[in-house]
Amino acid sequence: MALSPRFALNTFSVLAGGFLAVSAMTFTNSAVEWLGFGVSTAVALAGVAGLVLARRTSAKAGHGVLAAIGLWSLIASLVFTGGALTWLVFAAGAAFVAAALGDLTAHELTTERVVHSLEVRPAEQPVHTTTLQSGAAA
């Protein structure tokens, strides 16, 4: 079983968003500015790569949302300062987490995922069951 690129991108986005949200409330404004810029750039580039490489429309939509949030966040981290910067970087981290978890949930709810979860057995291999009859020794 191979790791899905969609799952990998969404997991990366959840971790990056969590890191960004915690960093926004922990570090000074100058550190938050550059962390916001760097992490948002990484998520935006990963989202664009996923958008280009995805085949399904639902995957393209999820990656496009991540790319758009990343693009807005990297621009906002360079434009705003002070308290606005702190809260915008925090909001961007929360938005990365929400968008990635939403995309993961959408993927799990698709019929494709259900079909891949079914176990198919060939007709020539019967299912073996053991039955005990009354009075028979086991």
Side-chain angles (χ1 to χ4, degrees), residues 53 60 63 69 75 87:
L53 299 174
K60 286 182 183 254
H63 300 325
I69 294 169
I75 291 170
W87 287 107

Side-chain angles (χ1 to χ4, degrees), residues 72-84:
W72 158 250
S73 179
L74 74 91
I75 291 170
S77 67
L78 295 175
V79 172
F80 293 96
T81 59

Side-chain angles (χ1 to χ4, degrees), residues 18 20 36 40-41 80 84 86 88 111 128:
L20 204 55
S40 298
T41 301
F80 293 96
T86 300
L88 284 172
T111 56
H128 299 287

Side-chain angles (χ1 to χ4, degrees), residues 6 9 47 50-51 54-65 103:
R6 186 176 182 181
L9 174 64
L51 183 63
R55 293 186 191 116
R56 291 192 165 78
T57 306
S58 63
K60 286 182 183 254
H63 300 325
V65 168
D103 191 34

Side-chain angles (χ1 to χ4, degrees), residues 6 10 56-59 61-63 98-114:
R6 186 176 182 181
N10 286 324
R56 291 192 165 78
T57 306
S58 63
H63 300 325
L101 288 177
D103 191 34
L104 281 172
T105 303
H107 176 63
E108 288 299 317
L109 293 176
T110 61
T111 56
E112 172 218 1
R113 183 72 186 149
V114 173

